[in-house]
């Protein structure tokens, strides 16, 4: 098993912990309530080529089995986000590559009811610090559609660098969509990304 998995990461009311099969009911409830809010930003499956089998979206249990298998292989870190003891979203560090790259990319979504409370920047900061300090990664990316203002504000608050555009990068909401690339390397946050977020956020006790 990957020695950096499983692990729970905590900062105040925000907890990142490994996704579990028993989270199904809470996960489905949050996802269902936020369906229309999340739909423009969620990955979709492109049409199958002629003669190829149609690929179906996985069930929740199939998704969790895949995520945990990838985690055990060291290629992914899949978390759920809890806020004040309630499941409110999901964050995954995926595409983890070792060797001369030591990189991965972060994807996330959160319940609209808690958006704007600092939950997602805190969760991303926790994940990035974990990747740099314990997992041993050197670079973390976040790829965001230009139109996704709330998600862009998360990385802007945390001080990610904008590196440019990847045209037609991912199949989102039924079509291939351009994405902006934001990134950080370990050298850019020697004190930790969570510390930087605390320093930048008014009214947050510094640690």
């Amino acid at each position: 098993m990957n020695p950096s998995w499983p692990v729970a990461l905590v900062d105040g009311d925000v907890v990142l912990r490994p996704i579990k099969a028993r989270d199904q009911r809470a996960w489905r409830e949050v996802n269902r309530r936020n369906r229309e809010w999340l739909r423009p930003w969620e990955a979709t499956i492109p049409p199958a080529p002629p003669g190829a089998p149609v690929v179906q979206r996985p069930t929740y249990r199939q998704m969790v089995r895949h995520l945990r298998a990838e985690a055990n292989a060291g290629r992914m870190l899949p978390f759920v986000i809890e806020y004040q003891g309630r499941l409110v979203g999901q964050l995954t560090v995926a595409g983890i590559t070792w060797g001369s790259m030591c990189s991965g990319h972060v994807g996330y979504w959160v319940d609209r009811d808690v958006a704007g409370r600092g939950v997602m920047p805190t969760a991303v900061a926790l994940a990035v610090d974990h990747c740099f300090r314990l997992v041993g990664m050197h670079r973390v990316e976040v790829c965001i559609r230009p139109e996704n203002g709330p998600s862009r504000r998360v990385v802007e608050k945390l001080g990610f660098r904008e590196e440019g555009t990847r045209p037609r990068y991912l199949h989102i909401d039924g079509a291939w969509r351009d994405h902006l690339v934001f990134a950080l390397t370990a050298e850019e946050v020697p004190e930790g990304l969570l510390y930087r977020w605390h320093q930048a956020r008014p009214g947050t006790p510094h640690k």
Side-chain angles (χ1 to χ4, degrees):
M1 177 175 287
N2 177 3
S4 62
W5 181 262
V7 65
L9 311 170
V10 182
D11 184 68
D13 288 335
V14 178
V15 177
L16 276 185
R17 64 163 177 79
I19 192 169
K20 301 174 182 178
R22 65 172 177 262
D23 293 321
Q24 180 172 350
R25 178 176 294 181
W27 186 96
R28 284 185 178 280
E29 191 277 329
V30 176
N31 199 266
R32 178 193 57 77
R33 252 192 314 105
N34 288 271
R35 173 57 35 213
E36 289 306 307
W37 192 56
L38 295 174
R39 182 188 53 75
W41 322 118
E42 286 198 331
T44 45
I45 299 171
V54 176
V55 179
Q56 302 291 338
R57 288 182 67 89
T59 65
Y60 176 84
R61 289 186 177 274
Q62 289 171 336
M63 176 189 72
V64 171
R65 282 197 297 268
H66 169 73
L67 293 176
R68 293 185 69 83
E70 289 294 289
N72 290 335
R75 294 187 290 262
M76 189 177 287
L77 295 170
F79 298 99
V80 292
I81 305 165
E82 292 183 346
Y83 178 64
Q84 297 181 343
R86 181 170 66 89
L87 193 152
V88 296
Q90 187 173 354
L91 182 150
T92 303
V93 185
I96 297 175
T97 304
W98 299 108
S100 58
M101 181 170 281
C102 294
S103 178
H105 54 84
V106 177
Y108 49 80
W109 61 266
V110 72
D111 189 340
R112 190 175 189 175
D113 286 350
V114 301
R117 301 188 194 181
V119 175
M120 189 51 73
T122 301
V124 172
L126 284 167
V128 170
D129 283 351
H130 178 68
C131 287
F132 286 162
R133 294 176 170 181
L134 183 61
V135 181
M137 292 164 58
H138 173 252
R139 171 185 166 91
V140 171
E141 286 186 1
V142 182
C143 297
I144 302 170
R145 285 187 60 186
E147 304 89 345
N148 191 345
S151 193
R152 290 179 63 176
R153 283 192 288 275
V154 170
V155 292
E156 289 164 358
K157 288 176 181 178
L158 293 173
F160 275 72
R161 261 181 303 102
E162 184 176 339
E163 294 190 330
T165 303
R166 289 182 178 162
R168 297 171 295 283
Y169 178 60
L170 289 174
H171 201 270
I172 303 288
D173 192 26
W176 295 104
R177 310 287 186 176
D178 295 353
H179 279 65
L180 297 175
V181 183
F182 298 85
L184 277 179
T185 60
E187 294 89 346
E188 293 175 89
V189 282
E191 75 286 0
L193 188 56
L194 187 63
Y195 177 81
R196 177 195 280 184
W197 169 231
H198 284 169
Q199 293 290 112
R201 189 181 184 195
T204 302
H206 301 335
K207 295 183 178 182

